[in-house]
Structures are given as structure tokens and as C-alpha cells.
Amino acid sequence: MAIYIDPPLWPAHGTHFSHLVSDESLEELHLFAAAAGIPERAFDGDHYDVPERRFDDLVAAGAVPVEARILVRTLIASGLRIPARRRNKSLKVPLLNRWNTVMPGHDALFLDLLDRWSEPHRRYHGCTHLLSVLESLDLLTDPADPPRTVLLAAWFHDAVYRGVAGQDEEESARLAEERLQAAGLPETEAYEVGRLVRLTSDHRPEQGDDDGALLCDADLSVLGGEPGEYARYVAAVRQDYAHIGDADFAAGRTAVVRRLLELDPLFHSGRARELWLDAAHRNLKGELA
């Protein structure tokens, strides 16, 4: 058995990364990584991503340096490689690019949030939802950029997700206030982010709260998808609550759908209503029926 590493050729986070693999056993790979102090979050299914600064000490620890093409061939021959058709599309790079427009230089905070949004129990409330909310904010504010506090609230609004309505939003808001102040954000901005996060508990911003309305509209944009997209959303939400029995889930989901239909307005901006309102009412009423 051997551990192999290719040259640091893959750019991300302001540096370049190598891939670390085993020719025989993931257990062996995990043991080597743990001994070398490589964090678990660096594991990506069949390899570890390691930064350029670690290359020499990993070779010194026993990793065999090989060309990238040799490493790929070795991984394929080992039977450990995950085929592209089975690998989830990675959202790490597009999310990192967006993060760097709002909080450049805070890679540690980005990686912590990415870990949270990538937790295995999430199906709907994961990275795809985060990116969707960020893209919806772009649509609603084009050609201007969304306010920084609204963008940060999007990043934190489901950072804590255990499926406990109200409590998750409160813990996410507190996390935002704590981590953003630690990152150097002024207290007033950090607490504004926390306030916005709390609004996603019931999506009822006060009249005149333009930033709150913007975030709530973007968070609910999934309701206005095409029928197939909406069906996938409902199925993913069901998986998020897999620990709840069918009857209890159906009752809870019915209450949520009715509450959404009772929201007046459901969407606050003219742009959001134009984009999503008709389809959202169609989808919600169809689900309730």
C-alpha cells in the first residue's frame, strides 16, 4: 500500500492544491491524513485536497510524488475512484467566488459555512439552496449589487439547520453576530445581519423594511419554480425531515403551505411578484390539493 500526491496545480483560496490518494485503501488514506494533521473537510470522496504549503512535508511523511496523470491512473486502478456521473456537482468554487466579493480574506469563515451548508442530513437546505438565494438576490437588484448585509444574511440564514423552526433561525442569527464581529465587521452591521436572518423564520418583514423584504423574497423564490422544479423541492424538504413519520410530516407541511398562502404579500417587491407570484400560488395550491 502507498499514498500518492500530485503537484500543486489546482488553484483555489489564493493558493494551489494537490490531490492525496491511496492505491488500495481509504482507511489507509484517512489514517495518513489524520497523522499529518489534514482536516476531515479536505476529503472529497476519494482524495484529499491539500494546499501547496503542505506538499514538501507530506512527501517527507511518506507520500509518493507523481504526475497528475499517473495519480489519476493509480486511483482508477485502485477501484476507489468515484466516477464523474456519481460525483455531486461541486458548488465550492462558485460559492467561494461569491464569498470573496463580500468578505475577501476570510477563508476560514467561508470554509466553516461551507461545512455547515454541506452537512449530510441536508437535502433542500444545502449548498444548492444557498446559491439559489444568492442568485435570486442578483435578479431582484440587477443592475445594482445586493446590500452587503443582505448578502451576509443569505450566507448565514440556514447556517444552523436541525429542522427546528424558529430555533434554527435564532441560532443562525446568533452565529452570524458572533462570527462577523470576530471577523472585524462593525457591531451595527453584524447585528443587522442577525436581524435579517431572524426574519426568515416567518418571512414577515415590516412595511418599509426593504432589505428584509429583499431577503425574504429571495428565500421564497423556490416557490415560483416550474412544476418539476417545485416537485423536486418538496421531495428534498421531505428528505430533510426523514426523521418524522409520514402522517406528522403531512400535517406539518400542510400547515406550512397554508401559512404561505395566507401571507399577504407573499412577495414584497414588484420584481419578485413579476418573477414568481403566479407560479408560487399555482404550486402551493396544487400541493395543498
Side-chain angles (χ1 to χ4, degrees):
M1 292 190 296
I3 300 294
Y4 293 86
I5 189 170
D6 62 2
L9 300 174
W10 319 102
H13 306 299
T15 185
H16 289 77
F17 282 74
S18 296
H19 299 127
L20 193 71
V21 307
S22 169
D23 67 345
E24 189 170 323
S25 164
L26 287 180
E27 181 179 2
E28 175 197 28
L29 179 62
H30 292 319
L31 288 172
F32 182 93
I38 300 172
E40 291 182 6
R41 66 172 178 268
F43 182 65
D44 189 15
D46 53 17
H47 69 276
Y48 280 86
D49 294 313
V50 292
E52 183 175 16
R53 61 182 172 77
R54 296 298 315 272
F55 183 84
D56 289 340
D57 63 90
L58 291 172
V59 171
V64 179
V66 294
E67 295 178 25
R69 61 186 178 86
I70 301 300
L71 181 139
V72 171
R73 291 177 184 174
T74 300
L75 188 57
I76 292 172
S78 73
L80 299 175
R81 190 185 191 200
I82 297 177
R85 66 181 181 275
R86 287 176 45 206
R87 186 184 293 277
N88 290 330
K89 181 180 179 183
S90 175
L91 299 180
K92 186 175 183 178
V93 171
L95 286 172
L96 175 62
N97 290 339
R98 285 177 172 273
W99 175 258
N100 283 335
T101 67
V102 66
M103 287 290 285
H106 292 278
D107 284 4
L109 182 52
F110 165 76
L111 290 173
D112 177 61
L113 286 168
L114 187 69
D115 282 349
R116 291 174 178 275
W117 284 94
S118 302
E119 291 167 336
H121 67 278
R122 299 173 184 243
R123 291 300 180 270
Y124 170 66
H125 295 87
C127 289
T128 300
H129 171 57
L130 170 59
L131 184 57
S132 176
V133 172
L134 294 171
E135 290 175 343
S136 294
L137 290 174
D138 289 344
L139 281 174
L140 293 173
T141 59
D142 183 65
D145 294 326
R148 186 188 192 197
T149 51
V150 177
L151 287 171
L152 288 171
W155 276 93
F156 277 94
H157 81 283
D158 282 326
V160 176
Y161 182 72
R162 300 188 181 90
V164 183
Q167 181 177 320
D168 288 346
E169 290 82 2
E170 178 61 31
E171 291 186 21
S172 295
R174 291 178 183 175
L175 181 75
E177 293 162 352
E178 173 188 334
R179 296 294 175 85
L180 290 173
Q181 287 184 79
L185 203 70
E187 182 180 81
T188 54
E189 288 188 51
Y191 279 100
E192 171 63 3
V193 173
R195 183 190 75 82
L196 292 169
V197 169
R198 291 182 177 93
L199 289 177
T200 63
S201 176
D202 62 5
H203 301 95
R204 294 179 183 269
E206 295 290 334
Q207 187 173 1
D209 182 3
D210 293 341
D211 287 353
L214 179 60
L215 179 64
C216 290
D217 283 353
D219 192 32
L220 294 181
S221 61
V222 67
L223 302 178
E226 293 299 319
E229 179 186 356
Y230 186 81
R232 288 190 291 274
Y233 148 70
V234 174
V237 170
R238 178 65 185 104
Q239 291 178 31
D240 274 356
Y241 290 90
H243 57 286
I244 296 176
D246 288 343
D248 288 339
F249 175 79
R253 180 64 190 174
T254 296
V256 168
V257 171
R258 285 178 173 157
R259 181 183 65 79
L260 289 169
L261 283 169
E262 289 168 359
L263 285 179
D264 187 16
L266 176 59
F267 294 107
H268 300 81
S269 73
R271 180 64 173 150
R273 289 193 291 270
E274 176 188 340
L275 287 168
W276 304 309
L277 184 59
D278 288 346
H281 280 154
R282 177 200 68 212
N283 288 330
L284 290 166
K285 289 175 182 177
E287 183 181 355
L288 196 59

